[in-house]
């Protein structure tokens, strides 16, 4: 009995304490359970032509520190209608990863979007996911250009409401139908036609004005003969005005109404983390010290004694404690064709962190500084909804940048949560967990029956296209189920499941569960305006680069006829090839599925069958082969992985080869030379070729991470070619320890580059950001 009474008392105390939680305590508890994850992609450039590769490095941040909570990154290439063109799935280690996404040579000129996210990021509002626009120059677009007209003008009272009888500050923002800013002039009038005040935009369609609304009156802005209504004024509430000083912000509140509208405390939160709570003086004036807070978007909310929010305002803190001080040293600059250049990035003090560096031909970049960077993304655009035009401007040395940034704070809302959700204990719970890399699970049955392969040891053999091999022993449960966690492999893998009982091994079949990597998420359409480029020189240069690329892809090969059933090109591409390998129209495909090949070695079979393709056997070793196309060395690919030599391919039985694709010129080969891609059979095709007691299952692993090719001209190349690369070097994996204070950058110039652009970005172990951008002529 006493025990029951004690339990009841404890439950009552818990319930009372739960009900007594203040808004800041509830929000902080949610933050601890479901912290915000951010990602930023450093791209090698923003302008590409169709057929190129977009190289990127990703950085994950949470609570202003590098985040190691994510294991898998999704990067999507989307067109303007939201259609998915290409997708990469990459493993994350210690908060970073890097890779590339291919831009098919069939794409039309226009703006495309890159979106990046991890499953943990989907636990918050999906409108905050990272995205960026890239401009692509390719085939002529069949779509007519959108005419951006019909200006949209919106008004945002400071603090949230327009209040009668007191002076209010009202911000405004004008955009066209594409979402791009429009600068303008207009008049504010009341419903009697009286002019209250003229207004005009100060920066990118934004501005603000002050006036005192009269009860019973309504107000509109008159712009180009159209009327845009201001919000209806309220007779009760709180008007808020905030200004910045050296150590933070000054606020002034004006109260109209009873005590239920009297603010008693203010809460400041950044990324759901409560950073301060302070009482409000009876004078309704005060200051908020922010000089010790981290830089970023701060949400200030004013509450009454019952915890009801009365007014709210976003402000931006820029204490610049996030900056890594570094400089670019030009040790050897030689912009003559194919000459070596030596640069280095020197840090003002020793740092520990991970960084990335891109050096590009600046004649193929938009003039001036980039419009987005790691600072503007991680500190600004990742914390406010909607589109911010050219956000890097707000972190520049321009004298108008500070005031313009405050206009961004006034005209963008905060929608990850509402205070009503906080008060009702109705904040969303995490729906997605981190997958922990690849998870293989499924059920094993004895082949030809419904009998489970129960309580038995199962040997799992993973073979990947990069010749990787992994063996692991797992045990099935009483129902024949198994699970393998934290597996990492790349590209298209063949997974062999087999019994381990030797001659007594049973024939088995395996049914895998849902793919742990390539699942689809219900994501909203991206609402980003096009990346407009008005520089005629850049447009001309990029279009010429694309035209040169299309002309240089090579002469059509003669058709190769193979007797027997042939898959259509569409079927082959869908089953075996990624976009880069499927997109070259000048290549020719040899279909070997369903064919009898007497030769054990595929190179022996190829000899003499393809015009202009020479297969040489070197020396006495039968597996030592070299291939040439029109006297140029051929780059070999096995299941789309580049192979340094032919020895591994020569050991694969020819009856396990599904198809061969021959490229006279291929962007994925060194120097854009010829290439031969060999694809091994999978699925039913492979089962026809291999008889085993086990079961072979095809499984898509992580996307292949390619190595950026930067030529070494210290010795003359074997093949003479024109070097017109737009990215001269890309260094995605630059790790620095505390003893080191510099990053060496060595590369050779192309045949035409006369102006370089160097961009270095990264994150230190304590969360500071490197952003260095410089042009060299």
């Amino acid at each position: 009995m006493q025990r029951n009474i004690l339990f009841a008392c404890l439950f009552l105390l818990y319930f009372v304490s739960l009900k007594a939680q203040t808004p800041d305590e509830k929000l902080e508890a949610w933050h601890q359970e479901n912290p915000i994850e951010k990602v930023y992609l450093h791209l090698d450039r923003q302008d590409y032509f169709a057929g190129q590769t977009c190289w990127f490095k990703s950085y994950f941040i949470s609570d202003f520190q590098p985040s190691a909570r994510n294991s898998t990154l999704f990067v999507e290439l989307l067109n303007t209608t939201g259609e998915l063109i290409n997708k990469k799935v990459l493993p994350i280690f210690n908060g970073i990863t890097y890779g590339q996404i291919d831009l098919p040579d069939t794409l039309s000129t226009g703006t495309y979007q890159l979106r990046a996210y991890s499953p943990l990021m989907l636990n918050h509002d999906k409108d905050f996911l990272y995205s960026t626009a890239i401009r692509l120059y390719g085939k002529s677009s069949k779509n007519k250009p959108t005419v951006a007209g019909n200006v949209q003008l919106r008004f945002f009272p400071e603090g949230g409401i327009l209040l009668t009888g007191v002076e209010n500050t009202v911000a405004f923002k004008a955009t066209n139908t594409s979402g791009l800013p429009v600068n303008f002039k207009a008049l504010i009038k009341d419903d009697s036609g009286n002019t209250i005040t003229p207004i005009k935009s100060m920066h990118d369609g934004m501005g603000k004005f002050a006036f005192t609304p009269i009860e019973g009156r309504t107000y509109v802005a008159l712009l180009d003969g159209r009327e845009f209504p201001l919000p209806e004024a309220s007779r009760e509430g709180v008007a808020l005005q905030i200004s910045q000083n050296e150590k933070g912000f000054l606020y002034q509140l004006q109260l109209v109404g009873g005590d239920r509208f009297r603010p008693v405390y203010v809460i400041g939160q950044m990324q759901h983390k409560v950073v301060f709570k302070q009482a409000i003086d009876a004078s309704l004036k005060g200051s908020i010290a922010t000089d010790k807070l981290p830089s970023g978007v701060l949400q200030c909310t004013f509450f009454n004694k019952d915890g009801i929010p009365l007014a709210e305002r976003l402000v931006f803190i820029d204490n610049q404690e996030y900056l890594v001080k570094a400089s670019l040293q030009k040790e050897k600059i030689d912009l003559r064709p194919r000459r070596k250049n030596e640069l280095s990035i020197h840090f003002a003090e020793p740092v520990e962190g991970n960084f990335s560096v891109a050096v590009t031909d600046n004649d193929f970049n938009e003039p001036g500084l980039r419009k987005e960077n790691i600072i503007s993304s991680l500190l600004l655009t990742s914390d406010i909804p909607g589109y911010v035009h050219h956000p890097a401007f707000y972190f520049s040395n321009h004298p108008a940048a500070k005031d313009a940034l405050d206009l961004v704070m006034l005209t963008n809302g905060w929608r990850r949560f509402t205070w009503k959700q906080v008060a009702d204990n109705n904040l969303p719970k995490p729906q997605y967990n981190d997958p922990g890399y690849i998870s293989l699970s499924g059920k094993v049955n004895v082949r030809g029956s419904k009998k489970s392969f129960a309580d038995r040891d199962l040997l799992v053999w993973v073979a990947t296209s990069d010749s990787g091999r992994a063996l692991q022993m797992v045990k099935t449960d009483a129902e024949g189920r198994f699970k393998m966690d934290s597996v990492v492999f790349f590209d298209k893998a063949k997974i062999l499941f087999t019994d381990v009982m030797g001659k007594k091994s049973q024939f088995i079949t395996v049914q895998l569960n849902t793919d742990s990597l390539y699942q689809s998420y219900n994501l909203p359409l991206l609402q980003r305006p096009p990346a407009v480029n008005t520089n005629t020189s850049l447009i001309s240069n990029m279009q010429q680069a694309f035209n040169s690329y299309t002309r240089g892809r090579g002469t059509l090969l003669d058709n190769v006829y193979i007797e027997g059933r042939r898959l259509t090109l569409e079927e082959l591409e869908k089953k075996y090839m990624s976009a880069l390998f499927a997109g070259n129209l000048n290549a020719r495909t040899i279909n070997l599925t369903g064919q009898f090949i007497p030769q054990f070695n595929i190179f022996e079979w190829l000899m003499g069958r393809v015009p202009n393709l020479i297969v040489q056997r070197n020396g006495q070793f039968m597996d030592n082969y070299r291939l040439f196309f029109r006297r140029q060395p051929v780059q070999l690919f096995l299941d789309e992985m580049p192979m340094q030599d032919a020895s591994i391919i020569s050991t694969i039985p020819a009856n396990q080869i599904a198809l061969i694709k021959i490229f006279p010129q291929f962007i994925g080969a060194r120097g854009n030379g010829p290439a031969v891609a060999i694809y091994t059979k999978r699925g039913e095709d492979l089962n026809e070729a291999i008889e085993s007691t086990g079961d072979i299952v095809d499984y898509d692993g992580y996307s292949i991470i390619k190595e950026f090719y930067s030529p070494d001209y210290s010795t003359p190349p074997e093949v003479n070619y024109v070097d017109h690369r737009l990215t001269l070097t890309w260094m995605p994996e630059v790790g620095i320890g505390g003893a080191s204070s510099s990053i060496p950058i060595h590369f050779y110039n192309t045949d035409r580059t006369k102006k370089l652009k160097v961009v270095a970005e990264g994150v230190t172990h304590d969360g500071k950001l490197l952003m260095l951008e410089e042009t060299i002529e």
Side-chain angles (χ1 to χ4, degrees):
M1 180 71 176
Q2 290 179 341
R3 183 179 179 183
N4 291 339
I5 294 175
L6 177 62
F7 177 80
C9 291
L10 290 174
F11 179 79
L12 182 61
L13 287 172
Y14 170 77
F15 181 75
V16 171
S17 66
L18 183 65
K19 294 292 285 185
Q21 275 188 315
T22 58
D24 56 303
E25 292 171 333
K26 295 178 180 179
L27 184 61
E28 182 63 26
W30 186 48
H31 165 73
Q32 294 297 329
E33 179 186 12
N34 192 17
I36 292 172
E37 297 285 334
K38 300 181 180 183
V39 67
Y40 168 73
L41 262 58
H42 175 194
L43 308 183
D44 65 320
R45 55 193 307 111
Q46 291 290 144
D47 291 85
Y48 302 87
F49 61 76
Q52 281 193 293
T53 297
C54 170
W55 303 89
F56 59 82
K57 168 79 172 286
S58 70
Y59 298 92
F60 277 85
I61 291 287
S62 183
D63 278 346
F64 305 98
Q65 297 292 320
S67 174
R69 299 180 66 238
N70 302 274
S71 69
T72 300
L73 171 70
F74 299 88
V75 180
E76 299 173 343
L77 175 66
L78 309 167
N79 63 15
T80 52
T81 63
E83 179 185 1
L84 180 64
I85 297 172
N86 204 347
K87 183 175 182 177
K88 295 294 180 179
V89 185
L90 298 163
I92 305 165
F93 301 103
N94 297 321
I96 59 170
T97 190
Y98 55 90
Q100 71 293 319
I101 195 161
D102 303 318
L103 309 173
D105 56 13
T106 54
L107 294 180
S108 300
T109 297
T111 295
Y112 294 80
Q113 309 288 347
L114 284 178
R115 176 166 57 191
Y117 57 92
S118 70
L120 288 180
M121 293 174 65
L122 303 181
N123 287 320
H124 294 284
D125 193 324
K126 299 179 180 63
D127 288 329
F128 289 79
L129 296 180
Y130 174 85
S131 64
T132 188
I134 63 172
R135 286 181 295 265
L136 190 135
Y137 303 82
K139 300 189 305 180
S140 298
S141 176
K142 296 180 181 179
N143 300 321
K144 295 182 179 180
T146 302
V147 178
N150 296 330
V151 174
Q152 303 298 315
L153 179 59
R154 293 173 293 164
F155 294 93
F156 306 86
E158 185 173 12
I161 64 169
L162 197 61
L163 193 61
T164 61
V166 298
E167 186 178 69
N168 292 250
T169 299
V170 180
F172 52 82
K173 184 176 184 179
T175 58
N176 60 27
T177 52
S178 295
L180 293 171
V182 176
N183 291 316
F184 72 98
K185 294 180 180 180
L187 294 175
I188 302 296
K189 292 178 174 287
D190 64 14
D191 51 2
S192 296
N194 300 315
T195 297
I196 305 301
T197 182
I199 62 172
K200 68 176 182 178
S201 54
M202 298 168 56
H203 177 76
D204 280 349
M206 299 178 294
K208 64 181 179 180
F209 65 98
F211 85 117
T212 302
I214 299 174
E215 185 176 344
R217 293 287 189 192
T218 59
Y219 302 88
V220 299
L222 187 63
L223 172 61
D224 295 336
R226 297 174 60 199
E227 293 185 350
F228 297 89
L230 273 68
E232 184 178 350
S234 175
R235 294 182 296 174
E236 294 181 309
V238 174
L240 169 66
Q241 291 178 319
I242 285 183
S243 59
Q244 192 167 4
N245 65 6
E246 291 182 358
K247 292 189 176 181
F249 297 90
L250 301 176
Y251 66 84
Q252 178 176 346
L253 299 158
Q254 299 184 80
L255 170 64
V256 177
D259 276 352
R260 64 194 181 102
F261 292 105
R262 178 168 293 278
V264 296
Y265 64 90
V266 57
I267 290 175
Q269 67 95 6
M270 305 178 76
Q271 302 176 32
H272 300 176
K273 183 176 181 64
V274 177
V275 294
F276 72 82
K277 178 181 180 181
Q278 64 186 60
I280 295 175
D281 187 79
S283 66
L284 300 184
K285 297 180 180 180
S287 63
I288 299 171
T290 61
D291 55 329
K292 304 299 182 184
L293 296 180
S295 297
V297 178
L298 170 69
Q299 179 194 28
C300 299
T301 309
F302 297 81
F303 293 85
N304 67 7
K305 61 182 177 60
D306 298 319
I308 297 175
L310 303 173
E312 188 170 271
R313 166 83 140 86
L314 297 183
V315 295
F316 193 86
I317 304 173
D318 191 4
N319 292 325
Q320 299 197 6
E321 83 293 347
Y322 54 85
L323 288 175
V324 176
K325 295 182 180 179
S327 60
L328 182 66
Q329 303 295 319
K330 307 169 190 67
E331 294 154 2
K332 180 184 177 182
I333 301 297
D334 190 342
L335 296 183
R336 290 177 293 175
R338 305 194 179 191
R339 295 303 178 96
K340 189 174 184 179
N341 290 264
E342 298 179 5
L343 312 172
S344 62
I345 296 172
H346 284 253
F347 296 93
E349 56 186 17
V351 299
E352 294 185 14
N354 209 283
F355 309 95
S356 47
V357 180
V359 180
T360 58
D361 187 330
N362 204 42
D363 285 333
F364 294 84
N365 293 320
E366 186 178 17
L369 298 175
R370 295 174 304 154
K371 302 303 187 290
E372 303 175 45
N373 58 43
I374 190 171
I375 294 173
S376 67
S377 176
L378 293 178
L379 296 187
L380 177 61
T381 55
S382 59
D383 280 326
I384 54 178
Y387 172 70
V388 179
H389 191 62
H390 298 173
F393 167 81
Y394 303 109
F395 298 89
S396 67
N397 295 323
H398 195 284
K402 185 177 179 180
D403 291 337
L405 179 54
D406 195 53
L407 291 176
V408 176
M409 297 297 98
L410 286 166
T411 56
N412 285 79
W414 182 279
R415 302 190 186 91
R416 279 199 177 106
F417 69 91
T418 65
W419 286 108
K420 186 177 187 306
Q421 289 176 297
V422 176
D424 296 342
N425 292 312
N426 193 30
L427 291 166
K429 301 295 182 182
Q431 297 181 10
Y432 301 96
N433 297 316
D434 183 79
Y437 304 109
I438 298 174
S439 177
L440 294 174
S441 61
K443 191 175 187 302
V444 187
N445 287 332
V446 176
R447 191 179 301 175
S449 72
K450 296 182 179 180
K451 182 180 178 182
S452 298
F453 188 73
D455 295 316
R456 298 285 296 273
D457 288 328
L458 185 67
L459 180 65
V460 183
W461 182 68
V462 181
T464 59
S465 60
D466 61 354
S467 304
R469 300 289 187 268
L471 288 173
Q472 186 171 339
M473 191 79 70
V474 295
K475 193 174 184 64
T476 61
D477 63 13
E479 297 179 347
R481 301 187 181 279
F482 71 94
K483 186 174 183 180
M484 297 169 57
D485 287 323
S486 302
V487 183
V488 176
F489 58 85
F490 294 85
D491 201 29
K492 302 168 177 62
K494 296 175 177 61
I495 306 177
L496 172 64
F497 299 87
T498 185
D499 194 354
V500 296
M501 297 298 292
K503 293 183 179 180
K504 297 181 179 180
S505 294
Q506 297 190 55
F507 286 74
I508 60 174
T509 57
V510 177
Q511 180 65 48
L512 288 180
N513 292 334
T514 304
D515 193 323
S516 64
L517 284 185
Y518 291 86
Q519 54 183 303
S520 297
Y521 298 97
N522 185 22
L523 301 180
L525 288 176
L526 284 177
Q527 301 295 324
R528 287 185 63 104
V532 178
N533 173 28
T534 58
N535 183 270
T536 55
S537 176
L538 174 59
I539 295 172
S540 175
N541 288 347
M542 293 299 296
Q543 204 63 55
Q544 288 179 21
F546 173 70
N547 294 337
S548 297
Y549 163 74
T550 55
R551 287 195 304 268
R553 283 184 299 185
T555 306
L556 290 175
L557 284 174
D558 295 333
N559 289 327
V560 178
Y561 296 97
I562 305 295
E563 294 182 358
R565 186 185 69 84
R566 292 174 56 85
L567 294 177
T568 66
L569 181 59
E570 181 180 358
E571 290 171 332
L572 287 169
E573 290 182 351
K574 183 177 180 180
K575 184 171 184 178
Y576 285 97
M577 291 182 239
S578 66
L580 178 64
F581 285 80
N584 195 313
L585 301 179
N586 294 329
R588 285 297 178 265
T589 301
I590 304 174
N591 177 16
L592 299 181
T593 56
Q595 305 301 314
F596 171 72
I597 302 176
Q599 293 88 351
F600 178 84
N601 185 305
I602 194 62
F603 296 121
E604 297 291 322
W605 183 88
L606 268 176
M607 288 183 179
R609 280 184 163 82
V610 179
N612 300 313
L613 181 66
I614 300 172
V615 181
Q616 289 183 353
R617 185 190 302 121
N618 294 334
Q620 59 181 341
F621 298 102
M622 296 295 292
D623 60 351
N624 192 3
Y625 292 87
R626 295 185 66 189
L627 276 68
F628 299 86
F629 187 85
R630 294 199 177 100
R631 299 183 180 180
Q632 296 186 46
V634 170
Q635 171 72 57
L636 287 172
F637 291 86
L638 177 61
D639 290 328
E640 300 186 358
M641 274 294 295
M643 309 301 294
Q644 298 300 321
D645 57 58
S647 59
I648 294 174
I649 298 176
S650 66
T651 62
I652 300 174
N655 67 345
Q656 293 184 30
I657 304 296
L659 56 92
I660 303 169
K661 191 159 189 178
I662 302 168
F663 301 86
Q665 193 171 22
F666 184 55
I667 191 171
R670 291 197 172 188
N672 291 344
V676 171
I678 295 174
Y679 293 83
T680 55
K681 292 179 179 178
R682 63 179 90 156
E684 295 178 356
D685 297 335
L686 182 61
N687 289 337
E688 292 175 359
I690 300 177
E691 178 64 27
S692 171
T693 59
D695 196 2
I696 297 175
V697 179
D698 280 344
Y699 200 96
D700 286 336
Y702 285 109
S703 303
I704 294 174
I705 300 175
K706 298 179 182 178
E707 181 180 356
F708 179 84
Y709 175 63
S710 185
D712 181 354
Y713 291 132
S714 59
T715 58
E718 294 182 7
V719 179
N720 190 25
Y721 57 87
V722 177
D723 185 354
H724 281 176
R725 289 169 297 129
L726 304 189
T727 298
L728 282 71
T729 191
W730 167 246
M731 302 164 56
E733 179 63 19
V734 182
I736 296 182
S740 177
S741 59
S742 66
I743 300 174
I745 308 170
H746 299 165
F747 59 92
Y748 287 86
N749 194 22
T750 68
D751 290 331
R752 67 180 172 189
T753 301
K754 299 300 181 184
K755 186 187 296 185
L756 303 173
K757 184 164 192 174
V758 182
V759 175
E761 294 185 314
V763 181
T764 66
H765 291 176
D766 57 357
K768 291 186 177 181
L769 307 177
L770 171 67
M771 205 300 291
L772 187 149
E773 186 172 346
E774 193 166 328
T775 301
I776 302 173
E777 293 189 53

